[in-house]
Amino acid sequence: MLADRCAGRDVVVLGLARGGVPVGLEIAGRLGAELDAFVVRKLGAPKWPELAMGAIASGGGIVVNDHVVRRLGITDAELREVVEAETRELSRREVAYRGPAPPPRLADRTVVLVDDGIATGATMLAALRTVRAAGPTRVIVAVPVGPSSTFDLLRGECDDVVVATVPRRFDAVGQAYEDFRQVSDDEVRAALKR
């Protein structure tokens, strides 16, 4: 299905680091495409860090969930503090994964953005908006699992969305995995060397 959508194109697969890189490795292998990591960081709410109030991406893309920020009464200063902390971690990871090498060329290529799944969509939206600014001919989102609302959320932001599993009742990305442990920096580097 995804292979048909990429046939005959200059394709680069970007795995959202960290969890999307092992999934991206499999997709890049099947497509015979270049693989790289794309670093995106969730902006966790100050008192509830697992709740995404937005996300930032390599290259400066940012998405803020205004509804969450307003509902929780998060101040501009609190938001700025979280953005600064996550920006430092994003920069650390970019160096850890790529070293001094530049990111891959995205202009005039088909970009397949891959993650281990989509829950709120904030990290994928940040990645999409940043990648779009680089001038690809097409952007395809490919994930193993996500809620049915994924299609509505991403439809206007990318050219195609491929979700392998859309559970009737979606609770979390981890529900689709037998082993959903965190992917380490070493595992990301190993995948990128293959």
Side-chain angles (χ1 to χ4, degrees):
M1 171 157 64
L2 182 59
D4 295 337
R5 297 171 193 195
C6 295
R9 300 179 187 272
D10 182 9
V11 178
V12 59
V13 175
L14 297 179
L16 272 59
R18 293 188 281 208
V21 173
V23 179
L25 177 63
E26 295 299 319
I27 291 172
R30 300 244 172 138
L31 296 177
E34 177 183 358
L35 170 69
D36 203 347
F38 193 82
V39 183
V40 181
R41 297 290 300 163
K42 174 177 64 177
L43 300 174
K47 294 178 185 164
W48 301 275
E50 289 306 311
L51 177 61
M53 62 177 174
I56 58 170
S58 293
I62 185 167
V63 171
V64 175
N65 185 332
D66 293 325
H67 173 74
V68 170
V69 169
R70 277 192 311 273
R71 189 183 60 171
L72 297 177
I74 297 166
T75 67
D76 288 346
E78 289 173 318
L79 177 60
R80 193 170 35 258
E81 185 178 317
V82 172
V83 168
E84 289 170 2
E86 293 302 338
T87 299
R88 286 189 297 276
E89 178 60 14
L90 187 143
S91 297
R92 184 201 68 78
R93 288 185 185 198
E94 285 179 330
V95 170
Y97 303 151
R98 192 177 293 113
R105 177 184 59 81
L106 304 182
D108 302 319
R109 299 178 83 180
T110 293
V111 176
V112 180
L113 277 172
V114 179
D115 204 356
D116 53 9
I118 293 177
T120 67
T123 55
M124 187 58 77
L125 280 174
L128 274 166
R129 290 174 182 169
T130 303
V131 165
R132 272 277 181 226
T137 54
R138 291 188 64 188
V139 181
I140 299 170
V141 170
V143 295
V145 63
S148 59
S149 60
T150 296
F151 299 99
D152 295 334
L153 177 70
L154 301 176
R155 185 172 286 126
E157 302 280 344
C158 64
D159 298 296
D160 207 349
V161 180
V162 179
V163 182
T165 304
V166 180
R168 182 173 294 176
R169 180 181 166 173
F170 180 85
D171 295 316
V173 171
Q175 79 188 63
Y177 289 84
E178 286 182 27
D179 178 4
F180 195 58
R181 65 183 172 78
Q182 289 291 314
V183 174
S184 71
D185 285 346
D186 289 339
E187 289 170 306
V188 170
R189 283 189 288 269
L192 294 175
K193 286 182 182 175
R194 290 187 197 164

